[in-house]
Amino acid sequence: MTILLTTSDVATIVALQGPRKVCTDLLDYVLADFLRWQEFDKCARVASHSATGVIELMPAADNELYSFKFVNGHPDNPQAGLSTVMAFGALAQVSTGEPLLISELTLTTALRTAVTSALAARALARPGSRSMALIGNGAQAEFQALAFHYILGIDTLHVYDVDAGATRKLEHNLASVPGLRIVRFDGVASAVKGVDIVTTVTADKAYATILTGDMIEPGMHINALGGDCPGKTELHADVLRAGSVFVEYEPQTRIEGDLQQMPADFPVTELWRVLTGQAGGRRSAGEVTIFDSVGFALEDFSALRWLRDSAARHGIGARIEVAPALQDPKGLFNVVRTARTGQPALVQR
C-alpha cells in the first residue's frame, strides 16, 4: 500500500512540529542531499509552456529512491480563485518501482524553497546578517521570512509588494512571531536600502527588472527566486555583473533563471560545491553574492523524504491502493474478472 498525504495532513505535520523545528529539520534533509550531490541521477525539469503559464515535471533519484514533482506556475490564477503554484509528487522504491508515498507539494514546495534559500544564505551572506528586504509578499513570502528568521536570525524585515493587500496579509500572519520586526515600504528602492539580504519572490511571467544595479550595496546577498522560467526575470543584468553568482543546477538555471540574460560563458558556481568545500563562497564582507534560485528536483526529493519520515513518526496519512498487490503477479486481468464475482484477486497488506 502507498501512503497518501493531503494538504491538511502536511499542515498537521507542520502544526505538530512547529515552524522552527520544521525549518531546521527540513534544512537538514536538504543539506544532507546536497552534500551527496554526485550520487544523484539529475536532469533539468521538463516544461510545457503556454501563453498563461507553465506545467513542469521534476524527477530525481539516487540508488534507493526515485521522486518526481508535478508543478505549475500560472501568475493569473489568483484572479480565478486558484493558487499560482499547485503541486503534487511521489516517492518510489528504485529496486522495485513500488510507489511508497504520494503527497501534496504545494505547501511543501513553499517550505523547501524557503529552507533552500536560507541554506544558501547561511553559506553566502555576511556573517551576522540581521536584516532582509522581502520583495513580493505573495504565497511564499511568510515561509521565506520564517526560514530566514529561525535559521539565520533575521530580526528586521523590510516588505514591499505592488499589491498592498498581499503586504497586509503578510504583516497579519507574522505579527505574532517573537523577535521579528516588520517594516512596510512603498517601493523597492527604499525597501532594499541598508539591508544585509534582499529576497525577490515575484510571480509575473515577464522580463521584469525588480532590482537594478543602482540598488545594490556592497556586501549584500541577493536571494532571487522569481525568475524561474524562460522569459521571466527579476534582476537587471547589471545586478548579476555586480557580484558572484551561485546556482542550484547550472544547465537548468542557464535556461530558466535570471542567468538567461547572460552569455553562455558567464561564470557561476553550483551551490553544492560551496557546501562541500570544493569551491569558495563569499570572499569578503564587501562582496555582493547572488543566489539565482529556480528550484531544483533534488530539493523535492529531500522534502518527500522528510514528509515520509514525519508522517511515519506522527502516524499521519492514509493507506491507499495505487499499485495492485496481486495473488498472481501475472494475473492482472483477474482484478477485472473478480470485481464482478466478489472473489479476491488482491493480497491484503
Side-chain angles (χ1 to χ4, degrees):
M1 302 293 280
T2 303
I3 298 299
L4 173 66
L5 296 178
T6 65
T7 303
S8 295
D9 291 330
V10 175
T12 299
I13 290 171
V14 174
L16 288 171
Q17 297 186 5
R20 180 187 296 273
K21 183 170 175 56
V22 166
C23 286
T24 55
D25 285 2
L26 182 52
L27 182 139
D28 287 343
Y29 277 75
V30 174
L31 174 60
D33 288 335
F34 267 90
L35 291 177
R36 59 190 189 97
W37 178 270
Q38 292 172 302
E39 297 179 19
F40 285 89
D41 182 10
K42 301 175 290 292
C43 68
R45 56 189 162 209
V46 179
S48 176
H49 295 275
S50 68
T52 56
V54 62
I55 295 174
E56 300 166 333
L57 187 65
M58 301 172 63
D62 63 8
N63 290 330
E64 180 184 353
L65 296 170
Y66 172 92
S67 75
F68 75 83
K69 180 171 77 173
F70 170 100
V71 62
N72 77 299
H74 287 74
D76 293 335
N77 269 7
Q79 299 173 25
L82 297 171
S83 297
T84 299
V85 174
M86 296 175 282
F88 67 90
L91 196 65
Q93 194 76 45
V94 166
S95 60
T96 63
E98 180 183 8
L100 304 175
L101 175 73
I102 295 176
S103 179
E104 84 82 42
L105 287 181
T106 308
L107 173 57
T108 307
T109 291
L111 290 167
R112 69 80 156 144
T113 302
V115 301
T116 302
S117 294
L119 176 63
R122 191 172 69 176
L124 300 172
R126 284 181 299 207
S129 292
R130 292 294 178 266
S131 60
M132 181 170 80
L134 185 52
I135 310 302
N137 301 157
Q140 290 203 34
E142 289 90 344
F143 301 94
Q144 290 287 322
L146 291 173
F148 276 84
H149 178 59
Y150 291 130
I151 294 169
L152 269 77
I154 292 298
D155 56 25
T156 301
L157 194 65
H158 293 190
V159 297
Y160 171 73
D161 195 300
V162 293
D163 176 6
T167 301
R168 288 192 296 271
K169 175 266 305 180
L170 175 74
E171 290 175 314
H172 174 76
N173 288 338
L174 299 180
S176 61
V177 177
L180 183 62
R181 183 171 69 100
I182 301 173
V183 186
R184 186 194 303 193
F185 287 82
D186 59 5
V188 175
S190 56
V192 305
K193 188 173 180 59
V195 299
D196 299 307
I197 299 170
V198 177
T199 289
T200 56
V201 57
T202 61
D204 284 346
K205 189 178 181 181
Y207 287 114
T209 52
I210 306 302
L211 288 184
T212 54
D214 59 305
M215 300 178 189
I216 307 306
E217 300 174 9
M220 273 183 172
H221 173 65
I222 313 299
N223 179 42
L225 306 177
D228 58 359
C229 73
K232 184 181 178 188
T233 63
E234 292 182 314
L235 308 182
H236 190 282
D238 287 347
V239 176
L240 296 169
R241 298 187 189 101
S244 300
V245 179
F246 301 83
V247 301
E248 289 141 313
Y249 183 58
E250 183 178 347
Q252 181 174 301
T253 312
R254 291 275 180 194
I255 298 169
E256 299 181 354
D258 279 280
L259 195 57
Q260 66 190 268
Q261 306 172 74
M262 310 308 287
D265 60 352
F266 182 82
V268 299
T269 303
E270 290 186 332
L271 179 63
W272 73 272
R273 299 188 65 235
V274 177
L275 297 175
T276 58
Q278 298 182 40
R282 172 176 293 273
R283 294 168 294 187
S284 69
E287 182 182 14
V288 173
T289 53
I290 301 116
F291 182 42
D292 187 3
S293 175
V294 298
F296 185 54
L298 180 60
E299 297 150 25
D300 302 305
F301 179 99
S302 306
L304 284 161
R305 288 200 306 111
W306 171 76
L307 284 173
R308 176 200 61 186
D309 295 348
S310 297
R313 186 162 55 251
H314 294 290
I316 292 174
R319 292 168 62 85
I320 61 172
E321 180 189 348
V322 174
L326 299 168
Q327 291 183 340
D328 174 6
K330 295 185 178 180
L332 181 60
F333 187 75
N334 290 341
V335 176
V336 178
R337 181 175 59 80
T338 58
R340 293 176 296 177
T341 64
Q343 297 298 315
L346 303 175
V347 176
Q348 297 301 313
R349 291 182 178 174

